[in-house]
């Protein structure tokens, strides 16, 4: 009784603003676009059949999101390794906090910073002064990837740091005592044991990137656009709500698939690790 | 190794530092610092649109964070007492609220609210006795509803983690000493989970204050601060935006440091995203 009363506000909220909106979106996705924009009741697969017309957005997202996540991993791993294994213990907490803080400050502002740096009055202007003229940095896939690595680096570092922190350092000593070179200790012991963190980080960043709007919008300038950008365009410019809903439903399906696959991989690694240690 | 790590920290902080530095630039140029000035702050804050956007953001962030803190805490306590099956349903829904991209939350809320309001408004007009029946439109309430979804999930997660770490012995002792369940809650449980509630509130506030994409879809005619910043970025990069960006940065920095400080004493872990 008390339990039900305590849970009621959250339950109502979840129903009204999560379950109901999703049902509405599903209904819209099978509907038709009214002549003046908006929704007209129907039951048709027309919108889903039309998905290939936004293939470029899907392609960009499904290619650049995983590449971005992997680039992020390349930068994040050494940092996480340093924080968990090499950093002096008394300074570790402050160094970790310094990684977390940027993540909780506005992504818009942090992306704007790169727009500022890569824009024609920033770096290209400096390059111009030393004689390298006409370099375009903004509005390229490279700029979008840079923005992705920058924006999501903290989120990648944290899970890897957490799994490396649990690493028993005596295992590394044992490996060295048994004659393994540092490189083979690293790839044979450290990396496999940190895999759960790596998988969590890559999955988390990839999933968030699938819904990214700001980074491609500001650093890709409409030339490198993601599904999120196509959605904003469909909803707020061309007012084709049913088609937009169909894309959003497809996007949720992609997110669920990525999540399921990564959970499966993570599970396998967790299982494998347990066997190894016994 | 060390060099790489130093470079990584520089990479994280240099762009932000640059934005802050050039917000104090006397000139307009992005690659040349021509002198110290707070002129751009004055310009920015004498702009009534910006002040209005800031006010909207503060109202939305405050209300959604308060509601998230209260309802999220209630849900966290309730979930602990639920049957296994009900708990799984709640866990699944809260996980969905966190994992589903903001763009989709924005769209789904927009579609549902516009449909619902399309039904409700004629009803109100039908029963309204006077001449001009009130019309409910998108605005504060829709942004608060959509933000509250995610932030409630965050608060519930944080508070549940704290409750899981509490010993049962104090609660049982309190019961043995004939305290009422509410008395036990107020005197034993609440003081212990309060830091996590406040931390959850601050994170919820920060999230709502910084959110762009959800508000972009559901705010109707209201403009939030991130929406204002976004619109002015599209008009062109000027030091005025740097001034606003710096202000936003400093505000969220204070909030996050507050949350970090509150969550630290017992768990030796930093705030994690």
């Amino acid at each position: 009784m008390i339990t039900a009363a305590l849970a009621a506000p959250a339950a109502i909220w979840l129903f009204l603003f999560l379950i109901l909106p999703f049902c509405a979106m599903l209904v819209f996705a099978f509907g038709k676009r009214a002549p003046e924009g908006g929704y007209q009741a129907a039951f048709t697969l027309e919108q889903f059949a039309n998905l290939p017309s936004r293939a470029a957005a899907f392609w960009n997202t499904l290619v650049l999101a995983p590449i971005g996540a992997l680039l992020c991993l390349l930068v994040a791993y050494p940092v996480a390794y340093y924080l968990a294994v090499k950093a002096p213990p008394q300074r570790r907490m402050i160094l970790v906090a310094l990684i977390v803080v940027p993540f909780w400050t506005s992504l818009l502002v942090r992306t704007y910073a790169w727009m500022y740096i890569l824009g024609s009055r920033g770096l290209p202007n400096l390059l111009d002064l030393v004689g390298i003229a006409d370099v375009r940095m903004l509005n390229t896939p490279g700029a979008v990837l840079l923005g992705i690595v920058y924006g999501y680096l903290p989120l990648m570092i944290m899970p890897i740091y957490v799994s490396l922190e649990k690493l028993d350092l005596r295992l590394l000593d044992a490996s060295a005592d048994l004659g393994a070179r540092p490189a083979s200790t690293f790839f044979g012991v450290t990396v496999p044991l940190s895999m759960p963190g790596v998988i969590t980080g890559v999955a988390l960043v990839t999933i968030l990137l699938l819904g990214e709007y700001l980074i491609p919008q500001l650093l890709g300038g409409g030339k490198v656009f993601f599904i999120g950008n196509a959605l904003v365009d469909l909803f707020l410019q061309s007012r084709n709500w049913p088609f937009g809903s169909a894309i959003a439903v497809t996007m949720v399906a992609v997110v669920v698939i990525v999540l399921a696959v990564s959970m499966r991989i993570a599970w396998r690694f967790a299982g494998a690790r347990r066997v190894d240690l016994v | 190794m060390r060099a790489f790590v130093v470079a990584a920290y520089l990479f994280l902080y240099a762009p932000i530092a640059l934005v802050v530095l050039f917000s104090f630039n006397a000139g307009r140029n992005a690659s040349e610092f021509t002198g110290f000035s707070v002129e751009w702050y004055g310009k920015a804050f004498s702009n009534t649109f910006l002040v209005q956007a800031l006010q909207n953001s503060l109202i939305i962030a405050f209300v959604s964070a308060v509601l998230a803190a209260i309802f999220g805490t209630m849900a966290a306590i309730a979930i602990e007492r639920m049957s296994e099956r009900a708990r799984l349903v709640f866990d699944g829904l809260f996980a969905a609220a966190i994992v589903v991209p903001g763009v989709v939350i924005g769209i789904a809320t927009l579609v549902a609210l516009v449909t619902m309001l399309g039904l409700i408004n004629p009803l109100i007009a039908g029963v309204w006795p006077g001449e001009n029946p009130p019309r409910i439109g998108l605005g504060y309430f829709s942004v608060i509803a959509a933000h509250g979804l995610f932030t409630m999930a965050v608060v519930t997660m944080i508070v549940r983690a704290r409750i899981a770490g509490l010993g049962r012995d104090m609660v049982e002792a309190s019961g043995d000493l004939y305290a009422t369940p509410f008395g036990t809650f107020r005197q034993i449980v609440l003081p212990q989970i309060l830091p996590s509630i406040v931390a959850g509130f601050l994170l919820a506030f920060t999230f709502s204050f910084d959110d762009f994409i959800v508000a972009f879809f559901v705010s109707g005619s209201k403009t939030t601060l991130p929406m204002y910043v976004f619109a002015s970025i599209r008009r062109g990069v000027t030091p005025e935006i740097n001034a606003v960006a710096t202000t936003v940065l400093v505000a969220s920095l204070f909030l996050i440091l507050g949350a970090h400080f509150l969550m630290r004493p017992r768990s030796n872990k930093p705030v994690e995203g």
Side-chain angles (χ1 to χ4, degrees), chain A residues 25 28-30 47-48 51 241-251:
Chain A
M25 198 171 73
F28 269 59
F30 289 100
Q47 311 304 339
F48 288 97
L51 282 179
W241 289 17
F243 187 35
S245 298
I247 292 180
V249 169
T250 313
M251 186 189 207

Side-chain angles (χ1 to χ4, degrees), chain A:
Chain A
M1 187 53 207
I2 298 176
T3 307
L6 284 172
I12 293 169
W13 204 295
L14 285 167
F15 177 76
L16 277 182
F17 303 121
L18 183 70
I19 298 172
L20 212 60
F22 265 84
C23 295
M25 198 171 73
L26 258 178
V27 171
F28 269 59
F30 289 100
K32 268 184 166 158
R33 181 179 190 271
E36 71 280 14
Y39 168 75
Q40 191 179 333
F43 187 80
T44 160
L45 287 171
E46 200 179 294
Q47 311 304 339
F48 288 97
N50 204 6
L51 282 179
S53 70
R54 290 294 185 280
F58 277 96
W59 173 254
N60 280 337
T61 311
L62 293 175
V63 170
L64 290 179
I67 293 179
L70 291 177
L71 285 176
C72 214
L73 173 66
L74 287 181
V75 182
Y77 201 95
V79 178
Y81 181 80
Y82 176 83
L83 288 174
V85 180
K86 301 275 178 182
Q90 70 276 15
R91 263 190 290 162
R92 181 171 297 156
M93 260 19 262
I94 181 81
L95 286 174
V96 172
L98 280 174
I99 294 288
V100 181
V101 164
F103 179 72
W104 281 98
T105 59
S106 165
L107 180 66
L108 175 59
V109 170
R110 287 185 293 140
T111 307
Y112 166 69
W114 280 104
M115 212 180 153
Y116 197 67
I117 294 169
L118 300 178
S120 56
R121 279 185 288 178
L123 265 184
N125 191 16
L126 286 181
L127 287 176
D128 198 37
L129 294 178
V130 294
I132 309 167
D134 290 334
V135 185
R136 199 171 60 103
M137 292 182 166
L138 209 57
N139 306 343
T140 60
V144 174
L145 284 174
L146 181 70
I148 286 172
V149 173
Y150 185 67
Y152 289 91
L153 189 59
L155 202 61
M156 183 67 86
I157 292 176
M158 283 324 294
I160 303 175
Y161 166 75
V162 169
S163 69
L164 278 172
E165 200 202 13
K166 286 190 232 137
L167 180 71
D168 188 345
L169 293 181
R170 287 173 306 178
L171 287 175
L172 305 186
D173 293 338
S175 172
D177 289 346
L178 291 168
R181 280 171 295 119
S184 48
T185 299
F186 179 74
F187 288 107
V189 180
T190 313
V191 171
L193 286 177
S194 64
M195 275 322 265
V198 170
I199 295 163
T200 309
V202 172
L204 209 61
V205 171
T206 307
I207 286 168
L208 287 179
L209 281 175
L210 292 176
E212 187 56 54
Y213 167 76
L214 278 175
I215 295 173
Q217 184 66 32
L218 296 180
L219 300 177
K223 293 193 180 65
V224 188
F225 51 92
F226 278 25
I227 304 173
N229 305 73
L231 284 174
V232 169
D233 184 57
L234 279 171
F235 268 83
L236 304 177
Q237 254 99 55
S238 47
R239 284 184 52 80
N240 192 343
W241 289 17
F243 187 35
S245 298
I247 292 180
V249 169
T250 313
M251 186 189 207
V252 173
V254 173
V255 168
V256 170
I257 292 170
V258 172
L259 197 66
V261 169
S262 47
M263 272 167 88
R264 174 145 248 184
I265 297 173
W267 202 69
R268 185 167 297 170
F269 264 96
R273 190 180 50 153
R274 223 169 286 137
V275 174
D276 275 353
L277 283 179
V278 171

Side-chain angles (χ1 to χ4, degrees), chain B residues 55-75:
Chain B
Q55 195 186 329
N56 289 341
S57 275
L58 288 174
I59 292 173
I60 290 168
F62 182 76
V63 177
S64 67
V66 167
L67 293 177
I70 296 172
F71 295 160
T73 305
M74 283 163 64

